[in-house]
Amino acid sequence: MTKKIILDCDPGHDDALALTLAVASPKIELLAVTTSAGNQTPDKTLNNAMRMLTMLHRQDIPVAQGNQTPLVKPLETAPEVHGATGLDGADLPDPDFAVQADPAIDLIAKTLEASDEKVTLVVTGPMTNAALFLRVYPDLARQKLDQIVFMGGAMGLGNWRPSVEFNIFVDPEAAKIVLNFGLPLVMAPLNVTHQAQIMKDEIKAVGEIKNPVGQAFYGLLNFFEQYHEDPKWGFTGAPLHDPCTIAWLIDSTMFKSEKMNVDVETQGELTRGETVCDYYNLTGKPKNTEVLLGIDRKRFIKLIMDSIRSFGKE
C-alpha cells in the first residue's frame, strides 16, 4: 500500500538523500515538500529542496518555505557539517520551477484537505513548521494526519550538546509542542542513525552509479563524510540520519524499536533541547512515541543504492 507523505526538511546532505528515497520508492507518494531553517539559513534550505527536485525531475511536487526562525531562540545553523550552501560537494542544477506562494503551514493544510486518505508528516529538520501547523490547524491535523515520523533527539548522547541532538536543539519549544500534541509519533534518534553509517567503500560504489543522481551523491557524501572523520565520534563512515525516516516507512522490518514516553526539556541550563525518553516507564506517562533503536545496516544501504540506481543511466 502506498503511503502518502509530506516532507518537512532543511536540506542538508542527509535530507537530500531522504528526499531522494521518497521520490524513488513506489511505496511512497510524496505530496508536498516544506522547508525549515536549520542545517542552513531559510533561503538556502528552500533553494536546496528545489535544486534536488529539479535534478530528480519532480518539479510537479509543490514546495513551500516555512518559518524564518525558531519559535523562541535565535537561529543556529550547521555550516561546519553541510558547508556554505548546505549541500556542498556537488554541482546541482538551479531550480527551474516556482516556489508556492503559500507559507509552509498553509501548503500542508491544503495538501491534507485535498487528500482522500490520511497522510504522514515526515520531519527531518527542526520542528518549527510542524508545531505552527498543529497550533493553527489542530482539528485538521487530528482529522487528516496519520502520524508524525521525525528524525531528532537522542536517548543519551547528543551531537550538538552533551545530551542534545541538533534538530531538537535548534527549536526545542517546537519539538515540545509536537511531542505533546497527541498524534502517533515515530522517532529516529541518534541511537539508530549513528548505526546507519555509509562506509567509504560504499560511497565509492555510489560513484560507480553512472547517472546524474549517483554522481551528485558521490560528491555530496564525500563532503559529508569528512566532518565525521573526527576521531571523537568514533565513526568508520558517515551517519545517514534523515533517510532513516523514509526507510522506516518503506520497510519497518529493518528496524528495532521500543514504545515509550518522550518529552523535551526546554528549561535546563545544560540540557535545553534534550529528549527525555522514559525507557523504563518511570513516569507512568502514556507511551506516545515509537523510538527506533536498531537497524539492519546492510539492508538500509542496499535500499539507498537501489534508489539511486532507479534514476537510470546517463
Side-chain angles (χ1 to χ4, degrees):
M1 182 178 175
T2 303
K3 295 182 176 71
K4 296 178 182 291
I5 76 166
I6 297 168
L7 179 61
D8 183 60
C9 55
D10 63 336
H13 295 74
D14 47 336
D15 296 81
L17 191 50
L19 177 60
T20 302
L21 293 187
V23 168
S25 176
K27 296 183 178 181
I28 300 288
E29 182 180 355
L30 181 56
L31 301 177
V33 172
T34 56
T35 62
S36 62
N39 286 327
Q40 257 297 351
T41 57
D43 288 346
K44 290 179 180 179
T45 58
L46 173 66
N47 189 53
N48 287 342
M50 297 181 72
R51 291 162 77 202
M52 285 299 303
L53 287 171
T54 299
M55 181 178 70
L56 299 172
H57 301 294
R58 289 304 308 270
Q59 298 93 329
D60 58 303
I61 297 173
V63 179
Q65 187 174 36
N67 220 44
Q68 301 289 295
T69 63
L71 297 182
V72 176
K73 66 194 287 289
L75 175 64
E76 296 187 49
T77 61
E80 57 268 66
V81 183
H82 298 283
T85 67
L87 279 178
D88 282 16
D91 185 16
L92 299 174
D94 291 330
D96 61 3
F97 66 108
V99 66
Q100 298 290 303
D102 294 319
I105 65 168
D106 290 345
L107 177 60
I108 294 171
K110 288 182 177 181
T111 303
L112 293 181
E113 287 167 347
S115 177
D116 56 359
E117 300 173 22
K118 286 198 170 186
V119 176
T120 293
L121 178 62
V122 179
V123 184
T124 59
M127 292 191 180
T128 314
N129 294 333
L132 286 170
F133 172 74
L134 296 178
R135 284 290 174 91
V136 177
Y137 296 99
D139 294 337
L140 181 61
R142 292 188 177 95
Q143 179 188 3
K144 285 294 188 74
L145 279 181
D146 184 42
Q147 60 188 344
I148 297 176
V149 179
F150 67 96
M151 188 279 131
M155 190 168 68
L157 299 177
N159 65 352
W160 214 251
R161 294 291 184 268
S163 61
V164 182
E165 179 273 334
F166 176 77
N167 283 346
I168 309 298
F169 169 82
V170 172
D171 199 340
E173 285 76 17
K176 191 172 186 70
I177 289 170
V178 173
L179 282 162
N180 287 280
F181 184 78
L183 284 171
L185 300 166
V186 178
M187 170 178 165
L190 297 180
N191 307 72
V192 73
T193 67
H194 280 182
Q195 299 172 46
Q197 294 180 47
I198 187 166
M199 306 305 175
K200 288 187 177 183
D201 62 323
E202 292 163 342
I203 295 174
K204 183 178 179 181
V206 170
E208 295 168 1
I209 300 174
K210 301 302 181 184
N211 64 39
V213 178
Q215 294 305 294
F217 272 110
Y218 177 64
L220 290 170
L221 291 169
N222 269 308
F223 180 92
F224 188 58
E225 192 273 338
Q226 291 172 23
Y227 171 80
H228 299 94
E229 289 180 353
D230 189 322
K232 71 182 179 186
W233 301 116
F235 294 138
T236 50
L240 300 178
H241 307 283
D242 297 329
C244 288
T245 58
I246 304 299
W248 183 85
L249 286 167
I250 293 169
D251 183 4
S252 62
T253 68
M254 73 173 72
F255 293 89
K256 294 180 180 178
S257 64
E258 295 285 346
K259 198 83 179 289
M260 66 190 77
N261 182 270
V262 181
D263 206 337
V264 180
E265 174 59 56
T266 59
Q267 301 297 321
E269 178 184 353
L270 302 177
T271 57
R272 187 179 183 205
E274 180 180 317
T275 45
V276 180
C277 302
D278 190 5
Y279 185 85
Y280 292 113
N281 196 27
L282 298 176
T283 64
K285 293 180 179 179
K287 297 181 179 182
N288 62 342
T289 307
E290 184 172 354
V291 181
L292 307 184
L293 295 174
I295 187 171
D296 185 328
R297 196 195 74 84
K298 289 186 177 179
R299 288 169 64 191
F300 175 68
I301 295 299
K302 183 178 186 303
L303 173 64
I304 288 169
M305 296 294 188
D306 290 346
S307 297
I308 295 173
R309 288 191 189 100
S310 74
F311 291 93
K313 298 180 179 180
E314 288 182 304

